[in-house]
Amino acid sequence: MHLLHSPIPPNLSFQPSKIFQHKNGLVFNGLIQQNRQIKSTWGLHNQVNFGSITVKASSVEAGVSASSIKTAESDVLKALSQIIDPDFGTDIVSCGFVKDLQIDETVGEVSFRLELTTPACPVKDMFEQRANEVVLALPWVVKVKVTMSAQPSKPILGADLPKCLQRVSNIVAVSSCKGGVGKSTVAVNLAYTLAGMGARVGIFDADVYGPSLPTMVSPENRLLEMIAETKTILPTEYLGVKLISFGFAGQGRAIMRGPMVSGVINQLLTTTEWGELDYLVIDMPPGTGDIQLTLCQVVPLTAAVIVTTPQKLAFIDVAKGVRMFSKLKVPCVAVVENMCHFDADGKRFYPFGRGSGSQVVEQFGIPHLFELPIKPALSASGDSGQPEVVADPLGEVAKTFQDLGVCVVQQCAKIRQQVSTAVRYDKAMKAIRVKVPDSDEEFLLHPATVRRNDRSAQSVDEWTGEQMLQYTDISEDIEPEEIRPMGNYAVEITWPDGFNQIAPYDQLQTMERLVDIPQPIPA
């Protein structure tokens, strides 16, 4: 909360027992102005900070006590705590969404800002409406002003990412591992759906052999530009979404070997001036080979969306992709089954059979399934350079993509919350708390145990497997200086000796745990 810390002028004193009757009929306790000259010397528009709340000087002149102010603040926060975030399962006050709370009791005005995790929050309108309702329901409140905002784009991994990606909050892969199932159609329409929800979005077309993006969108500038001074690439744009594709590099489709392709993809992805993005959607190329692994290792993917069709053959290929993401600790949050059905003569027909998408959901535990119809307009929009959700924003297809966009936003928020709190140091207990994402179990580890179990080349000889780090090399009372997430699979721990340890969740789960830890006595 951003507050002013102005000292209380010496000509104000607290008289808790005195009652002040203001001319508007409201009664306040306590703070009485002893010198009327304060009005000119201090200024009506200054503010005083009492604890964690900003109060206008006019409230002070009217005789509002610090205790009354604290009570008002408590009332407002208690009212707002009735609003529960459906993604995190806790109230918006505990989530830290309430910012810049200001109260002017003399006229019954309350203003504050709700800072959400993403501008594409699907329940932001509900939050704004409910916040107005619950605060206005307080008997002394006459007017409420709610401002909505979003947290700045900030990735889970900041310093360890390439510089051009350090202001990208979420990276979402759209994958099928099989060509011709509509993966690029889903990626592009998902990106423009997220942009329509208010997010800052970019699309990276990772298919060098057959880039689809130049056909599916129609930017005015169809060539990428490079900044000579910084050797970085400027993306092109269409309808506010930033675009990068090998097809915009003036090369058309590439004829080159795999290692060269990996280098091209790495350069395009990591040297592009993406700026601040809430979501970067990656249109993955088909397959599970070197190119896909390079993409997953260069950047920490937040989540993946799987695209399939009803045929059994599509399921076999998609299953390989899901297993690849599982090994790389990338959560698959949704399955899109394309070309499912069409409607004719009042009936619904499934020409390619049913069950491929449902089978992926059931076999791999992916929580959400979305079905897209066989629709000529959807195919035509992919060839016309205008995404279907832009051409027909109120149609059936746009509604499905809206649901998919809401799912992606909610699941990314959950994943980021889980990862950011998965491993943390409890100073009071002098223990490392671990709660791996998608697990209900929380356990404690001794910091020295974690440090002694480092498996890097500095602690274990890579050739012989000999343990070079000895037990006695680590002090029993060692404490971590900082713990930072590394994607969805590990944390990086900085120790007092300057050593940075990479600790995968899988390894932490195998270490000796602390039990029967006495709870710290409150001071």
Side-chain angles (χ1 to χ4, degrees), residues 436-488:
V436 176
D438 296 327
S439 171
D440 295 329
E441 179 190 25
E442 183 179 56
F443 56 90
L444 301 176
L445 298 175
H446 195 291
T449 300
V450 176
R451 179 67 179 87
R452 289 166 180 151
N453 277 273
D454 175 59
R455 306 300 298 170
S456 69
Q458 291 179 263
S459 303
V460 180
D461 189 289
E462 291 183 282
W463 296 101
T464 65
E466 179 186 356
Q467 183 75 34
M468 296 185 295
L469 178 69
Q470 300 302 312
Y471 187 93
T472 54
D473 293 340
I474 304 302
S475 171
E476 195 68 23
D477 59 357
I478 191 172
E479 297 184 56
E481 290 186 342
E482 186 180 8
I483 300 178
R484 298 180 300 277
M486 288 196 66
N488 302 313

CSV table of all heavy atoms in Angstrom, one decimal, residues 436-488:
chain,number,residue,atom,x,y,z
A,436,VAL,N,4.7,-29.4,-2.9
A,436,VAL,CA,4.8,-29.5,-4.3
A,436,VAL,C,3.5,-29.2,-5.0
A,436,VAL,O,2.4,-29.7,-4.5
A,436,VAL,CB,5.3,-30.9,-4.7
A,436,VAL,CG1,5.4,-31.1,-6.2
A,436,VAL,CG2,6.7,-31.1,-4.0
A,437,PRO,N,3.5,-28.5,-6.1
A,437,PRO,CA,2.2,-28.3,-6.9
A,437,PRO,C,1.5,-29.6,-7.1
A,437,PRO,O,2.1,-30.6,-7.4
A,437,PRO,CB,2.7,-27.6,-8.2
A,437,PRO,CG,3.9,-26.9,-7.8
A,437,PRO,CD,4.6,-27.8,-6.8
A,438,ASP,N,0.1,-29.5,-7.1
A,438,ASP,CA,-0.8,-30.6,-7.3
A,438,ASP,C,-0.6,-31.7,-6.2
A,438,ASP,O,-1.0,-32.9,-6.4
A,438,ASP,CB,-0.5,-31.3,-8.6
A,438,ASP,CG,-0.9,-30.3,-9.8
A,438,ASP,OD1,-1.8,-29.5,-9.6
A,438,ASP,OD2,-0.2,-30.4,-10.8
A,439,SER,N,-0.1,-31.3,-5.0
A,439,SER,CA,0.0,-32.2,-3.9
A,439,SER,C,-0.6,-31.5,-2.7
A,439,SER,O,-0.4,-30.3,-2.4
A,439,SER,CB,1.4,-32.6,-3.6
A,439,SER,OG,1.6,-33.3,-2.4
A,440,ASP,N,-1.3,-32.3,-1.9
A,440,ASP,CA,-1.9,-31.7,-0.6
A,440,ASP,C,-1.0,-31.8,0.5
A,440,ASP,O,-1.3,-31.3,1.6
A,440,ASP,CB,-3.2,-32.4,-0.3
A,440,ASP,CG,-4.3,-32.2,-1.4
A,440,ASP,OD1,-4.3,-31.1,-2.0
A,440,ASP,OD2,-5.1,-33.1,-1.6
A,441,GLU,N,0.1,-32.5,0.4
A,441,GLU,CA,1.0,-32.8,1.5
A,441,GLU,C,2.1,-31.7,1.6
A,441,GLU,O,2.6,-31.2,0.6
A,441,GLU,CB,1.8,-34.1,1.2
A,441,GLU,CG,2.8,-34.4,2.3
A,441,GLU,CD,3.7,-35.6,1.9
A,441,GLU,OE1,3.9,-35.9,0.7
A,441,GLU,OE2,4.2,-36.3,2.8
A,442,GLU,N,2.3,-31.2,2.8
A,442,GLU,CA,3.3,-30.2,3.1
A,442,GLU,C,4.3,-30.9,4.1
A,442,GLU,O,3.8,-31.5,5.1
A,442,GLU,CB,2.7,-28.9,3.7
A,442,GLU,CG,3.8,-27.9,3.9
A,442,GLU,CD,3.3,-26.6,4.5
A,442,GLU,OE1,2.6,-26.6,5.5
A,442,GLU,OE2,3.5,-25.5,3.9
A,443,PHE,N,5.6,-30.7,3.9
A,443,PHE,CA,6.5,-31.3,4.8
A,443,PHE,C,7.7,-30.3,5.0
A,443,PHE,O,7.8,-29.3,4.3
A,443,PHE,CB,7.1,-32.6,4.3
A,443,PHE,CG,7.7,-32.6,2.9
A,443,PHE,CD1,9.0,-32.3,2.7
A,443,PHE,CD2,6.9,-32.8,1.8
A,443,PHE,CE1,9.6,-32.3,1.5
A,443,PHE,CE2,7.4,-32.8,0.5
A,443,PHE,CZ,8.8,-32.5,0.4
A,444,LEU,N,8.5,-30.6,6.1
A,444,LEU,CA,9.6,-29.7,6.5
A,444,LEU,C,10.9,-30.4,6.3
A,444,LEU,O,11.1,-31.6,6.5
A,444,LEU,CB,9.4,-29.3,8.0
A,444,LEU,CG,8.1,-28.6,8.4
A,444,LEU,CD1,8.1,-28.4,9.9
A,444,LEU,CD2,8.0,-27.3,7.7
A,445,LEU,N,11.9,-29.6,5.8
A,445,LEU,CA,13.3,-30.0,5.6
A,445,LEU,C,14.2,-29.2,6.4
A,445,LEU,O,14.0,-27.9,6.5
A,445,LEU,CB,13.6,-30.1,4.1
A,445,LEU,CG,12.8,-30.9,3.2
A,445,LEU,CD1,13.2,-30.7,1.8
A,445,LEU,CD2,12.9,-32.4,3.6
A,446,HIS,N,15.3,-29.8,6.9
A,446,HIS,CA,16.3,-29.0,7.6
A,446,HIS,C,17.2,-28.4,6.5
A,446,HIS,O,17.6,-29.0,5.5
A,446,HIS,CB,17.2,-29.9,8.5
A,446,HIS,CG,18.0,-29.2,9.5
A,446,HIS,ND1,19.1,-28.4,9.1
A,446,HIS,CD2,18.0,-29.1,10.8
A,446,HIS,CE1,19.7,-27.9,10.1
A,446,HIS,NE2,19.0,-28.2,11.2
A,447,PRO,N,17.5,-27.0,6.6
A,447,PRO,CA,18.3,-26.4,5.6
A,447,PRO,C,19.6,-27.1,5.3
A,447,PRO,O,20.0,-27.2,4.2
A,447,PRO,CB,18.5,-25.0,6.1
A,447,PRO,CG,17.3,-24.8,7.0
A,447,PRO,CD,17.0,-26.1,7.6
A,448,ALA,N,20.3,-27.6,6.4
A,448,ALA,CA,21.6,-28.2,6.2
A,448,ALA,C,21.4,-29.5,5.4
A,448,ALA,O,22.3,-29.9,4.6
A,448,ALA,CB,22.2,-28.5,7.5
A,449,THR,N,20.3,-30.2,5.6
A,449,THR,CA,20.0,-31.5,4.8
A,449,THR,C,19.9,-31.2,3.3
A,449,THR,O,20.4,-31.9,2.5
A,449,THR,CB,18.7,-32.1,5.3
A,449,THR,OG1,18.9,-32.5,6.7
A,449,THR,CG2,18.4,-33.4,4.6
A,450,VAL,N,19.2,-30.1,3.0
A,450,VAL,CA,19.0,-29.7,1.6
A,450,VAL,C,20.4,-29.3,1.0
A,450,VAL,O,20.7,-29.8,-0.1
A,450,VAL,CB,18.0,-28.5,1.5
A,450,VAL,CG1,17.9,-28.0,0.1
A,450,VAL,CG2,16.6,-28.9,2.0
A,451,ARG,N,21.1,-28.5,1.7
A,451,ARG,CA,22.4,-28.1,1.2
A,451,ARG,C,23.4,-29.3,1.0
A,451,ARG,O,24.1,-29.4,0.0
A,451,ARG,CB,23.1,-27.1,2.2
A,451,ARG,CG,24.4,-26.6,1.7
A,451,ARG,CD,24.4,-25.8,0.5
A,451,ARG,NE,25.7,-25.3,0.1
A,451,ARG,CZ,26.6,-25.9,-0.6
A,451,ARG,NH1,26.2,-27.1,-1.1
A,451,ARG,NH2,27.7,-25.4,-0.9
A,452,ARG,N,23.4,-30.3,1.9
A,452,ARG,CA,24.3,-31.4,1.8
A,452,ARG,C,23.9,-32.4,0.7
A,452,ARG,O,24.7,-33.2,0.3
A,452,ARG,CB,24.3,-32.2,3.2
A,452,ARG,CG,25.0,-31.4,4.3
A,452,ARG,CD,24.7,-32.0,5.6
A,452,ARG,NE,25.4,-31.3,6.7
A,452,ARG,CZ,25.0,-31.2,7.9
A,452,ARG,NH1,23.9,-31.8,8.3
A,452,ARG,NH2,25.7,-30.5,8.8
A,453,ASN,N,22.6,-32.3,0.3
A,453,ASN,CA,22.1,-33.2,-0.8
A,453,ASN,C,22.2,-32.6,-2.2
A,453,ASN,O,21.6,-33.1,-3.1
A,453,ASN,CB,20.7,-33.6,-0.5
A,453,ASN,CG,20.6,-34.7,0.5
A,453,ASN,OD1,20.6,-35.9,0.1
A,453,ASN,ND2,20.4,-34.4,1.7
A,454,ASP,N,23.0,-31.6,-2.3
A,454,ASP,CA,23.2,-31.0,-3.7
A,454,ASP,C,23.9,-32.0,-4.6
A,454,ASP,O,24.9,-32.7,-4.2
A,454,ASP,CB,24.1,-29.7,-3.6
A,454,ASP,CG,24.4,-29.2,-4.9
A,454,ASP,OD1,23.5,-28.8,-5.7
A,454,ASP,OD2,25.6,-29.1,-5.3
A,455,ARG,N,23.4,-32.1,-5.8
A,455,ARG,CA,23.9,-33.1,-6.7
A,455,ARG,C,24.6,-32.5,-7.9
A,455,ARG,O,24.8,-33.2,-9.0
A,455,ARG,CB,22.8,-34.0,-7.2
A,455,ARG,CG,21.9,-34.7,-6.1
A,455,ARG,CD,22.8,-35.6,-5.2
A,455,ARG,NE,23.4,-36.7,-6.0
A,455,ARG,CZ,24.3,-37.5,-5.5
A,455,ARG,NH1,24.8,-37.3,-4.2
A,455,ARG,NH2,24.8,-38.5,-6.2
A,456,SER,N,25.0,-31.2,-7.8
A,456,SER,CA,25.6,-30.6,-9.0
A,456,SER,C,27.1,-31.0,-9.1
A,456,SER,O,27.6,-31.7,-8.2
A,456,SER,CB,25.6,-29.1,-8.8
A,456,SER,OG,26.4,-28.6,-7.7
A,457,ALA,N,27.7,-30.6,-10.1
A,457,ALA,CA,29.1,-31.0,-10.4
A,457,ALA,C,30.1,-30.4,-9.3
A,457,ALA,O,31.2,-31.0,-9.1
A,457,ALA,CB,29.6,-30.5,-11.8
A,458,GLN,N,29.7,-29.4,-8.6
A,458,GLN,CA,30.5,-28.9,-7.5
A,458,GLN,C,30.5,-29.7,-6.3
A,458,GLN,O,31.3,-29.6,-5.4
A,458,GLN,CB,30.1,-27.5,-7.2
A,458,GLN,CG,30.3,-26.4,-8.3
A,458,GLN,CD,29.9,-25.0,-7.9
A,458,GLN,OE1,28.8,-24.6,-8.3
A,458,GLN,NE2,30.6,-24.3,-7.1
A,459,SER,N,29.5,-30.6,-6.2
A,459,SER,CA,29.3,-31.4,-5.0
A,459,SER,C,29.6,-32.9,-5.3
A,459,SER,O,30.0,-33.7,-4.4
A,459,SER,CB,27.9,-31.3,-4.4
A,459,SER,OG,27.6,-29.9,-4.1
A,460,VAL,N,29.3,-33.3,-6.5
A,460,VAL,CA,29.5,-34.7,-6.9
A,460,VAL,C,30.3,-34.8,-8.2
A,460,VAL,O,30.0,-34.1,-9.1
A,460,VAL,CB,28.1,-35.4,-7.1
A,460,VAL,CG1,28.3,-36.9,-7.5
A,460,VAL,CG2,27.3,-35.3,-5.8
A,461,ASP,N,31.3,-35.7,-8.2
A,461,ASP,CA,32.2,-35.8,-9.4
A,461,ASP,C,31.3,-36.5,-10.5
A,461,ASP,O,30.7,-37.6,-10.3
A,461,ASP,CB,33.4,-36.7,-9.1
A,461,ASP,CG,34.3,-36.8,-10.3
A,461,ASP,OD1,34.0,-37.4,-11.3
A,461,ASP,OD2,35.4,-36.2,-10.1
A,462,GLU,N,31.2,-35.8,-11.6
A,462,GLU,CA,30.3,-36.3,-12.7
A,462,GLU,C,30.8,-37.6,-13.3
A,462,GLU,O,30.0,-38.3,-13.9
A,462,GLU,CB,30.2,-35.2,-13.8
A,462,GLU,CG,29.5,-33.9,-13.4
A,462,GLU,CD,29.4,-33.0,-14.5
A,462,GLU,OE1,30.4,-32.3,-14.8
A,462,GLU,OE2,28.3,-32.9,-15.1
A,463,TRP,N,32.1,-37.9,-13.3
A,463,TRP,CA,32.6,-39.1,-13.9
A,463,TRP,C,32.6,-40.3,-13.0
A,463,TRP,O,32.2,-41.4,-13.4
A,463,TRP,CB,34.0,-38.8,-14.4
A,463,TRP,CG,34.1,-37.8,-15.5
A,463,TRP,CD1,34.5,-36.5,-15.3
A,463,TRP,CD2,33.8,-37.9,-16.8
A,463,TRP,NE1,34.4,-35.8,-16.5
A,463,TRP,CE2,34.0,-36.7,-17.5
A,463,TRP,CE3,33.3,-39.0,-17.6
A,463,TRP,CZ2,33.7,-36.4,-18.8
A,463,TRP,CZ3,33.1,-38.8,-19.0
A,463,TRP,CH2,33.3,-37.5,-19.5
A,464,THR,N,33.0,-40.1,-11.7
A,464,THR,CA,33.1,-41.2,-10.8
A,464,THR,C,31.9,-41.3,-9.9
A,464,THR,O,31.7,-42.4,-9.3
A,464,THR,CB,34.4,-41.1,-10.0
A,464,THR,OG1,34.3,-39.9,-9.1
A,464,THR,CG2,35.6,-40.9,-10.9
A,465,GLY,N,31.1,-40.2,-9.7
A,465,GLY,CA,30.0,-40.3,-8.8
A,465,GLY,C,30.5,-40.1,-7.4
A,465,GLY,O,29.7,-40.2,-6.4
A,466,GLU,N,31.8,-39.8,-7.2
A,466,GLU,CA,32.3,-39.6,-5.8
A,466,GLU,C,31.7,-38.3,-5.2
A,466,GLU,O,31.7,-37.3,-5.8
A,466,GLU,CB,33.8,-39.5,-5.9
A,466,GLU,CG,34.5,-39.3,-4.5
A,466,GLU,CD,36.0,-39.0,-4.6
A,466,GLU,OE1,36.5,-39.1,-5.7
A,466,GLU,OE2,36.6,-38.8,-3.6
A,467,GLN,N,31.3,-38.4,-3.9
A,467,GLN,CA,30.8,-37.3,-3.2
A,467,GLN,C,32.0,-36.4,-2.7
A,467,GLN,O,32.8,-36.8,-1.9
A,467,GLN,CB,30.0,-37.8,-1.9
A,467,GLN,CG,29.4,-36.7,-1.1
A,467,GLN,CD,28.1,-36.1,-1.8
A,467,GLN,OE1,27.4,-36.8,-2.5
A,467,GLN,NE2,27.9,-34.8,-1.7
A,468,MET,N,32.0,-35.2,-3.3
A,468,MET,CA,33.1,-34.2,-3.0
A,468,MET,C,32.7,-33.3,-1.8
A,468,MET,O,33.5,-32.9,-1.0
A,468,MET,CB,33.5,-33.4,-4.2
A,468,MET,CG,34.1,-34.2,-5.3
A,468,MET,SD,34.6,-33.2,-6.7
A,468,MET,CE,33.1,-32.5,-7.3
A,469,LEU,N,31.4,-33.0,-1.7
A,469,LEU,CA,30.9,-32.2,-0.6
A,469,LEU,C,30.8,-33.1,0.6
A,469,LEU,O,30.0,-34.1,0.6
A,469,LEU,CB,29.6,-31.6,-1.0
A,469,LEU,CG,28.9,-30.7,0.1
A,469,LEU,CD1,29.7,-29.4,0.3
A,469,LEU,CD2,27.5,-30.4,-0.3
A,470,GLN,N,31.5,-32.8,1.7
A,470,GLN,CA,31.5,-33.7,2.9
A,470,GLN,C,30.4,-33.1,3.8
A,470,GLN,O,30.1,-31.9,3.8
A,470,GLN,CB,32.9,-33.7,3.5
A,470,GLN,CG,34.0,-34.2,2.6
A,470,GLN,CD,33.7,-35.7,2.2
A,470,GLN,OE1,33.3,-36.5,3.0
A,470,GLN,NE2,33.8,-35.9,0.9
A,471,TYR,N,30.0,-34.0,4.7
A,471,TYR,CA,28.9,-33.7,5.7
A,471,TYR,C,29.4,-32.6,6.6
A,471,TYR,O,28.6,-31.6,6.8
A,471,TYR,CB,28.6,-35.0,6.5
A,471,TYR,CG,27.5,-34.8,7.5
A,471,TYR,CD1,26.2,-35.2,7.1
A,471,TYR,CD2,27.7,-34.3,8.8
A,471,TYR,CE1,25.1,-35.0,7.9
A,471,TYR,CE2,26.6,-34.1,9.6
A,471,TYR,CZ,25.3,-34.5,9.2
A,471,TYR,OH,24.3,-34.3,10.1
A,472,THR,N,30.6,-32.6,7.0
A,472,THR,CA,31.1,-31.6,7.9
A,472,THR,C,31.4,-30.2,7.2
A,472,THR,O,31.7,-29.2,7.9
A,472,THR,CB,32.4,-32.1,8.6
A,472,THR,OG1,33.3,-32.5,7.6
A,472,THR,CG2,32.1,-33.3,9.5
A,473,ASP,N,31.3,-30.2,5.9
A,473,ASP,CA,31.6,-29.0,5.2
A,473,ASP,C,30.4,-28.0,5.4
A,473,ASP,O,30.6,-26.8,5.2
A,473,ASP,CB,31.7,-29.2,3.7
A,473,ASP,CG,33.0,-30.0,3.4
A,473,ASP,OD1,33.9,-30.0,4.2
A,473,ASP,OD2,33.1,-30.6,2.3
A,474,ILE,N,29.3,-28.5,5.8
A,474,ILE,CA,28.1,-27.6,5.9
A,474,ILE,C,27.8,-27.5,7.4
A,474,ILE,O,27.6,-28.4,8.1
A,474,ILE,CB,26.9,-28.3,5.2
A,474,ILE,CG1,27.2,-28.5,3.7
A,474,ILE,CG2,25.7,-27.4,5.3
A,474,ILE,CD1,27.6,-27.3,3.0
A,475,SER,N,27.7,-26.2,7.8
A,475,SER,CA,27.3,-25.9,9.2
A,475,SER,C,25.9,-26.3,9.5
A,475,SER,O,25.0,-26.2,8.6
A,475,SER,CB,27.5,-24.4,9.5
A,475,SER,OG,26.9,-24.0,10.7
A,476,GLU,N,25.6,-26.8,10.7
A,476,GLU,CA,24.3,-27.3,11.1
A,476,GLU,C,23.3,-26.1,11.1
A,476,GLU,O,22.1,-26.4,11.0
A,476,GLU,CB,24.4,-28.0,12.4
A,476,GLU,CG,23.2,-28.8,12.8
A,476,GLU,CD,23.1,-30.1,11.9
A,476,GLU,OE1,24.1,-30.5,11.3
A,476,GLU,OE2,21.9,-30.6,11.8
A,477,ASP,N,23.8,-24.9,11.4
A,477,ASP,CA,22.8,-23.8,11.5
A,477,ASP,C,22.7,-22.9,10.3
A,477,ASP,O,22.3,-21.8,10.3
A,477,ASP,CB,23.2,-22.9,12.7
A,477,ASP,CG,24.6,-22.3,12.6
A,477,ASP,OD1,25.3,-22.7,11.6
A,477,ASP,OD2,25.1,-21.6,13.4
A,478,ILE,N,23.1,-23.5,9.1
A,478,ILE,CA,23.1,-22.7,7.9
A,478,ILE,C,21.6,-22.4,7.5
A,478,ILE,O,20.7,-23.2,7.8
A,478,ILE,CB,23.7,-23.5,6.7
A,478,ILE,CG1,23.9,-22.7,5.5
A,478,ILE,CG2,22.9,-24.8,6.4
A,478,ILE,CD1,24.7,-23.3,4.4
A,479,GLU,N,21.4,-21.2,7.0
A,479,GLU,CA,20.1,-20.8,6.5
A,479,GLU,C,20.1,-20.2,5.1
A,479,GLU,O,21.1,-19.6,4.7
A,479,GLU,CB,19.6,-19.7,7.5
A,479,GLU,CG,19.4,-20.1,8.9
A,479,GLU,CD,18.8,-19.0,9.8
A,479,GLU,OE1,17.7,-18.5,9.4
A,479,GLU,OE2,19.4,-18.6,10.8
A,480,PRO,N,19.1,-20.5,4.3
A,480,PRO,CA,19.1,-20.0,2.9
A,480,PRO,C,18.9,-18.5,2.9
A,480,PRO,O,18.2,-17.9,3.7
A,480,PRO,CB,18.0,-20.7,2.3
A,480,PRO,CG,17.0,-21.1,3.4
A,480,PRO,CD,17.9,-21.3,4.6
A,481,GLU,N,19.6,-17.8,2.0
A,481,GLU,CA,19.4,-16.4,1.8
A,481,GLU,C,18.2,-16.0,0.9
A,481,GLU,O,17.5,-15.1,1.2
A,481,GLU,CB,20.6,-15.7,1.2
A,481,GLU,CG,21.8,-15.7,2.2
A,481,GLU,CD,23.0,-14.9,1.7
A,481,GLU,OE1,23.0,-14.7,0.4
A,481,GLU,OE2,23.9,-14.6,2.5
A,482,GLU,N,17.9,-16.9,-0.1
A,482,GLU,CA,16.8,-16.6,-1.0
A,482,GLU,C,16.4,-17.9,-1.7
A,482,GLU,O,17.3,-18.8,-2.0
A,482,GLU,CB,17.2,-15.6,-2.1
A,482,GLU,CG,16.1,-15.2,-3.0
A,482,GLU,CD,16.5,-14.2,-4.0
A,482,GLU,OE1,17.8,-13.9,-4.2
A,482,GLU,OE2,15.7,-13.7,-4.8
A,483,ILE,N,15.1,-18.1,-1.9
A,483,ILE,CA,14.6,-19.3,-2.6
A,483,ILE,C,13.8,-18.7,-3.8
A,483,ILE,O,12.8,-18.0,-3.6
A,483,ILE,CB,13.8,-20.2,-1.7
A,483,ILE,CG1,14.7,-20.7,-0.6
A,483,ILE,CG2,13.2,-21.3,-2.5
A,483,ILE,CD1,13.9,-21.6,0.4
A,484,ARG,N,14.1,-19.1,-5.0
A,484,ARG,CA,13.4,-18.6,-6.2
A,484,ARG,C,12.9,-19.8,-7.0
A,484,ARG,O,13.6,-20.8,-7.2
A,484,ARG,CB,14.3,-17.8,-7.1
A,484,ARG,CG,14.8,-16.5,-6.4
A,484,ARG,CD,15.7,-15.8,-7.4
A,484,ARG,NE,16.9,-16.5,-7.8
A,484,ARG,CZ,18.0,-16.7,-7.1
A,484,ARG,NH1,18.1,-16.0,-5.9
A,484,ARG,NH2,19.0,-17.4,-7.6
A,485,PRO,N,11.7,-19.8,-7.5
A,485,PRO,CA,11.2,-20.9,-8.4
A,485,PRO,C,11.9,-20.9,-9.7
A,485,PRO,O,12.4,-19.9,-10.2
A,485,PRO,CB,9.7,-20.5,-8.6
A,485,PRO,CG,9.4,-19.4,-7.6
A,485,PRO,CD,10.6,-18.7,-7.3
A,486,MET,N,12.0,-22.2,-10.2
A,486,MET,CA,12.6,-22.4,-11.5
A,486,MET,C,11.6,-23.2,-12.3
A,486,MET,O,11.5,-24.4,-12.3
A,486,MET,CB,13.9,-23.2,-11.5
A,486,MET,CG,15.1,-22.4,-10.9
A,486,MET,SD,16.6,-23.2,-11.3
A,486,MET,CE,16.7,-23.1,-13.1
A,487,GLY,N,10.7,-22.4,-13.0
A,487,GLY,CA,9.6,-23.0,-13.8
A,487,GLY,C,8.7,-23.8,-12.9
A,487,GLY,O,8.4,-23.4,-11.7
A,488,ASN,N,8.3,-25.0,-13.3
A,488,ASN,CA,7.3,-25.8,-12.5
A,488,ASN,C,8.0,-27.0,-11.9
A,488,ASN,O,7.3,-27.9,-11.5
A,488,ASN,CB,6.2,-26.2,-13.5
A,488,ASN,CG,5.4,-25.1,-14.1
A,488,ASN,OD1,5.1,-24.1,-13.4
A,488,ASN,ND2,5.2,-25.1,-15.4
